[in-house]
Amino acid sequence: MFASALPIASCIALITNTVWIKGLIWKMFHVFQRPFPSGAQDIGFWQDILLIIATVAVVTNAGLIVFTMSTLNQFSDAFRFWTFILFQWICLAIQQVVMALIPDEPEAIKIQKLREQFIVRKLVDKVPEPESHIKETTPVPLTIRNYREYGKPNPIHPLLTASSRDT
């Protein structure tokens, strides 16, 4: 549009847009980076918040069920109030039993942590293995009988061959 009035305007627009885009790229890579992830023991304060929300949800739902259900309208307010209290405490007790039955840490995570401790103990701390666990193995000489089995797949672990099993 302004090319006839100012022919250099398109070159200036190209330069300013390039500088602007480079500035946006620099901001994305240096200013607005994601924080470096760090490990944590647990979910921290959010555990307390979730417990408070669950408790409030039990109280709210118990109130909605008892005070808005049409089948309980025929009873007195005192009876409905005590039904609300009883229903609320039953639900809270069930919630506590479920929380006690479900472990905070799954079994697979416990096993993985034990493996990690073992690896750290062996590789980082260089703790020697007890003498009772060390087995002396002697190489098996290659005979006609084990020559036939040489190279056959291992039935226990298919990636191992009979040759790697013998040594």
Side-chain angles (χ1 to χ4, degrees), residues 19-38:
V19 169
W20 182 65
I21 289 173
K22 291 290 185 181
L24 287 177
I25 291 172
W26 183 84
K27 278 197 303 186
M28 282 191 344
F29 283 115
H30 297 287
V31 177
F32 297 116
Q33 288 184 359
R34 287 183 182 172
F36 188 73
S38 60

Side-chain angles (χ1 to χ4, degrees), residues 36-110:
F36 188 73
S38 60
Q41 286 294 104
D42 53 9
I43 61 173
F45 190 66
W46 285 103
Q47 177 74 29
D48 299 332
I49 292 172
L50 291 174
L51 287 175
I52 290 170
I53 290 173
T55 305
V56 170
V58 165
V59 173
T60 304
N61 289 333
L64 285 173
I65 289 172
V66 170
F67 293 116
T68 62
M69 194 178 249
S70 61
T71 57
L72 294 177
N73 285 342
Q74 61 192 0
F75 297 108
S76 67
D77 287 340
F79 179 80
R80 289 192 334 192
F81 175 74
W82 286 110
T83 305
F84 164 69
I85 297 293
L86 180 68
F87 183 65
Q88 169 186 337
W89 282 101
I90 289 172
C91 289
L92 288 173
I94 291 171
Q95 180 184 19
Q96 292 298 318
V97 168
V98 168
M99 285 173 47
L101 290 178
I102 297 174
D104 290 338
E105 190 172 80
E107 189 66 29
I109 301 295
K110 289 180 185 177

Side-chain angles (χ1 to χ4, degrees), residues 41 105 109-127:
Q41 286 294 104
E105 190 172 80
I109 301 295
K110 289 180 185 177
I111 292 171
Q112 193 64 31
K113 283 185 177 181
L114 289 174
R115 286 180 183 160
E116 180 182 337
Q117 289 173 0
F118 176 78
I119 290 171
V120 166
R121 199 171 63 244
K122 291 295 176 188
L123 297 178
V124 176
D125 299 337
K126 302 212 186 290
V127 175

